[in-house]
Amino acid sequence: MRLVPVVFALALASLLCLHATPARAASPLMLNEFVAGPARDWDGSGAFSSRDDEWVEVINLGAAELDLAAYFITDGDSIPRYAFTGTLAAGARQVVFGKQSYDWERANGKPAYGLSLGNTGDAVMLWQVVGAETLLVDEYTFKSHEAAADRAVGRLPEGGGWVLFDALNLYTGTLLPQGNGCNP
């Protein structure tokens, strides 16, 4: 029996039972940056795909290497889209592309959609399975202007407040966050 399907079956069952705000986990792993509306080949595959080129970056802000086996990403619907494996060094980042998410979903017998970040607004959520509980580690709910073509939303500085990186597609509107003119 593989541990990953059991862990995620428990995680999904736990998520479906949530009534209000889920319990939060204290974790050094955080969401760091993401692109919900890709318009170029972000994953370097040689071909553009709106599904495959979405990406989410996480960062280990802790002082030690972190085992990622209990962490997974969802969008606003709280359905597991990608489960991490391996370890992440202190201060290191890991990027998950939509194609990796799609492949993980298929390999684990789930409906395969990729990261599925909505371009009219959605949420990116990072979860941790701790014992029998699934705890929310970090989340960001974004609006449609943040999900426009090749705009990234990220923390500046690392682990800090959320900003809009819009050098590839300048944002001239008035909604917050305003663009900072920087590249993703």
Side-chain angles (χ1 to χ4, degrees):
M1 179 167 81
R2 291 182 47 211
L3 179 59
V4 171
V6 172
V7 167
F8 287 99
L10 289 172
L12 185 56
S14 176
L15 285 173
L16 295 175
C17 294
L18 296 176
H19 299 288
T21 303
R24 290 250 180 199
S27 172
L29 191 67
M30 294 181 71
L31 296 168
N32 196 53
E33 191 171 352
F34 65 91
V35 166
R40 64 185 68 224
D41 177 24
W42 283 99
D43 70 357
S45 68
F48 166 72
S49 166
S50 60
R51 179 195 69 206
D52 295 350
D53 290 311
E54 286 184 325
W55 54 267
V56 174
E57 178 186 78
V58 295
I59 186 169
N60 177 3
L61 293 173
E65 183 175 77
L66 182 63
D67 181 0
L68 298 178
Y71 293 91
F72 64 98
I73 293 174
T74 73
D75 68 346
D77 65 12
S78 300
I79 296 171
R81 301 289 183 185
Y82 181 81
F84 292 93
T85 60
T87 59
L88 190 60
R93 296 167 197 80
Q94 182 172 337
V95 176
V96 176
F97 290 97
K99 174 69 167 130
Q100 290 170 279
S101 170
Y102 179 81
D103 291 345
W104 177 86
E105 289 168 320
R106 289 190 63 197
N108 288 281
K110 301 192 177 307
Y113 301 105
L115 292 169
S116 193
L117 303 175
N119 297 110
T120 57
D122 201 349
V124 179
M125 304 170 87
L126 178 64
W127 301 86
Q128 182 181 15
V129 178
V130 179
E133 291 188 271
T134 302
L135 305 175
L136 184 61
V137 173
D138 196 12
E139 69 178 317
Y140 183 77
T141 300
F142 59 93
K143 302 173 209 82
S144 61
H145 79 283
E146 296 167 281
D150 288 337
R151 290 185 185 149
V153 179
R155 295 182 185 271
L156 192 63
E158 305 289 13
W162 291 99
V163 299
L164 181 63
F165 295 95
D166 68 338
L168 301 175
N169 180 4
L170 292 176
Y171 176 62
T172 59
T174 58
L175 296 175
L176 295 176
Q178 290 287 307
N180 64 6
C182 295
N183 282 319

